[in-house]
């Protein structure tokens, strides 16, 4: 797949332009978006993501388009699970609903920057060392096991991380317990102090870092093309803010989503290990020769990922009829 520097520049500028538009059109003036607004813009961004897959097919062929769609679906699914963590953070720091859009958008931009760095590192590692696929595969299996262990305990785990962030920040800089609009820094008795808005952003930024550690190896299990990895991540993050307000209530009912995502990560992990064996050059494995193992095609990968997500979603909705996943309670930061 040949991607020129000009195509990279145009792509990055278009993506940045969409985020700038999102800020000035929806976030600059604090408000709580309506269901209609969230649904409309969620559909717009998903439509853009699907249309971009068509551009990839036209420009580079159906194989790369399939890799893009598989990556986009996987990253979008992981992002939906991350929304529950964002909900915990918003509740823990008692962020007013009218300011949550700003926190989310800044957090999403930070996530894209972090993922861009991880994508570059991952691409360099893959081009230099084929055995890195072994590490990615084993790491995804390890991540899936941890996800299963933490399932149902997300609130407690995230609140512990948030409390550490607050404690560290309070030791370093003056903080205030009250909001001053959507300001990140305010003045208390003539001194500058960090507001809870900035603390919430720090928590979301740290969460984004952890999400990137999971998501980048996962998508590299579906494609080795940095351009596809980057664009799939970017389009998966776009519209995430609207999706937060659109399906906030539904998040409570997706009790099996973590199980589904764990299954997807294990599947991609196995796919990565099989690919590593096929490209093997480690001397202590088969004498440094390639191992004749089957490789999983992109079409099979996309079918398995979609199938797991459908089963997890339907099972969750059936299981939680009349019940809900425990929601994080709004707590003070003391």
């Amino acid at each position: 797949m040949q991607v020129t520097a000009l195509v990279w520049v145009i792509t990055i500028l278009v993506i940045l332009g969409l985020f700038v538009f999102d800020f000035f059109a929806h976030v600059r003036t604090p408000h709580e978006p309506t269901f209609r607004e969230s649904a409309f813009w969620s559909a717009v961004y998903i439509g853009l993501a699907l249309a971009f897959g068509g551009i990839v097919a036209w420009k580079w062929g159906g194989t790369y388009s399939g890799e893009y769609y598989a990556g986009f679906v996987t990253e979008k699914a992981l992002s939906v699970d991350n929304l529950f963590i964002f909900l915990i953070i918003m509740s823990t720091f008692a962020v007013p609903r009218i300011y949550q859009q700003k926190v989310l958008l800044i957090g999403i931009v930070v996530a894209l920057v972090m993922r861009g760095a991880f994508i570059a590192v991952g691409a360099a590692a893959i081009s230099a060392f084929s055995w890195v696929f072994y590490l990615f595969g084993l790491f995804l299996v390890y991540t899936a096991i941890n996800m299963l262990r933490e399932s149902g305990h997300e609130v407690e785990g995230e609140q512990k991380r948030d409390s550490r962030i607050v404690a560290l920040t309070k030791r370093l800089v003056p903080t205030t317990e009250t909001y001053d609009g959507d300001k990140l820094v305010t003045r208390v008795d003539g001194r500058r102090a960090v507001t809870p808005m900035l603390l919430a952003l720090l928590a979301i930024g740290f969460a984004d870092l952890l999400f990137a550690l999971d998501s980048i190896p996962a998508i590299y299990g579906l494609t080795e093309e940095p351009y596809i990895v980057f664009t799939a991540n970017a389009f998966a993050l776009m519209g995430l803010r609207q999706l937060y307000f659109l399906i906030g209530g539904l998040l409570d009912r997706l009790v099996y989503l973590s199980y589904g995502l764990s299954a997807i990560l294990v599947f991609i992990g196995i796919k990565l290990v099989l690919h590593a064996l096929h490209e093997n050059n480690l001397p202590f494995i088969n004498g440094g020769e390639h191992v004749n193992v089957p490789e999983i095609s992109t079409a099979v990968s996309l079918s398995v990922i979609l199938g797991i997500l459908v089963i997890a979603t339907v099972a969750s909705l059936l299981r939680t009829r009349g019940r809900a996943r425990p929601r994080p309670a709004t707590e003070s930061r003391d």
Side-chain angles (χ1 to χ4, degrees):
M1 183 179 186
Q2 297 297 322
V3 183
T4 65
L6 179 62
V7 171
W8 268 104
V9 170
I10 292 173
T11 302
I12 292 172
L13 289 177
V14 169
I15 290 170
L16 289 177
L18 288 171
F19 278 113
V20 171
F21 165 78
D22 202 18
F23 175 79
F24 282 100
H26 304 111
V27 178
R28 189 179 187 184
T29 302
H31 71 286
E32 181 179 347
T34 63
F35 179 86
R36 182 177 180 179
E37 177 186 339
S38 299
F40 175 77
W41 286 106
S42 291
V44 167
Y45 284 116
I46 290 175
L48 287 174
L50 297 177
F52 183 78
I55 294 174
V56 173
W58 167 72
K59 180 72 175 175
W60 292 286
T63 298
Y64 293 119
S65 178
E67 291 179 359
Y68 164 78
Y69 283 125
F72 170 73
V73 170
T74 300
E75 295 298 325
K76 199 69 173 178
L78 289 168
S79 297
V80 170
D81 192 54
N82 297 345
L83 288 179
F84 188 71
I85 301 300
F86 291 164
L87 179 64
I88 297 171
I89 293 172
M90 296 296 186
S91 298
T92 301
F93 292 95
V95 180
R97 292 280 288 182
I98 62 171
Y99 301 135
Q100 289 184 8
Q101 289 199 98
K102 182 176 182 178
V103 176
L104 287 169
L105 185 61
I106 295 175
I108 289 168
V109 172
V110 170
L112 185 58
V113 172
M114 287 184 178
R115 293 187 187 198
F118 277 102
I119 289 166
V121 172
I126 288 171
S127 63
F129 312 105
S130 62
W131 51 262
V132 92
F133 285 111
Y134 286 115
L135 297 181
F136 281 0
L138 295 175
F139 178 74
L140 288 182
V141 173
Y142 169 78
T143 300
I145 293 171
N146 275 346
M147 188 177 289
L148 287 176
R149 286 176 177 172
E150 294 177 4
S151 181
H153 302 284
E154 296 91 346
V155 175
E156 296 89 339
E158 184 58 38
Q159 287 175 344
K160 286 180 181 178
R161 284 192 289 268
D162 294 344
S163 65
R164 294 191 190 105
I165 291 173
V166 172
L168 178 61
T169 305
K170 285 184 175 181
R171 282 200 297 268
L172 297 175
V173 295
T175 61
T176 176
E177 297 293 324
T178 58
Y179 284 86
D180 184 6
D182 61 353
K183 293 180 180 178
L184 304 180
V185 178
T186 188
R187 285 189 176 275
V188 179
D189 298 327
R191 296 180 59 196
R192 289 185 178 276
V194 169
T195 69
M197 181 74 76
L198 182 54
L199 295 177
L201 276 173
L202 290 174
I204 284 183
F206 185 74
D208 285 334
L209 175 62
L210 298 179
F211 299 156
L213 290 174
D214 297 340
S215 65
I216 299 307
I219 194 170
Y220 267 121
L222 301 169
T223 178
E224 296 180 38
E225 299 295 334
Y227 184 76
I228 293 178
V229 175
F230 176 75
T231 52
N233 268 275
F235 280 106
L237 290 172
M238 283 183 195
L240 194 60
R241 176 182 60 79
Q242 292 86 349
L243 199 62
Y244 173 87
F245 292 97
L246 181 64
I247 67 169
L250 185 61
L251 286 173
D252 300 334
R253 299 187 58 192
L254 298 179
V255 293
Y256 293 135
L257 180 60
S258 293
Y259 294 94
L261 291 175
S262 297
I264 289 173
L265 292 180
V266 168
F267 169 76
I268 298 176
I270 293 172
K271 185 176 186 293
L272 278 167
V273 172
L274 290 175
H275 179 72
L277 288 169
H278 192 267
E279 302 292 327
N280 178 65
N281 56 16
L282 294 178
F284 54 87
I285 297 179
N286 198 37
E289 299 294 327
H290 299 177
V291 181
N292 187 21
V293 293
E295 289 212 71
I296 302 172
S297 68
T298 301
V300 171
S301 298
L302 183 56
S303 299
V304 170
I305 291 167
L306 287 173
I308 290 174
L309 289 176
V310 169
I311 292 172
T313 301
V314 172
S316 294
L317 296 178
L318 291 175
R319 180 72 175 83
T320 58
R321 283 182 299 183
R323 299 197 328 170
R325 184 180 185 174
R327 294 177 66 92
T330 299
E331 297 183 359
S332 68
R333 294 167 301 280
D334 297 327

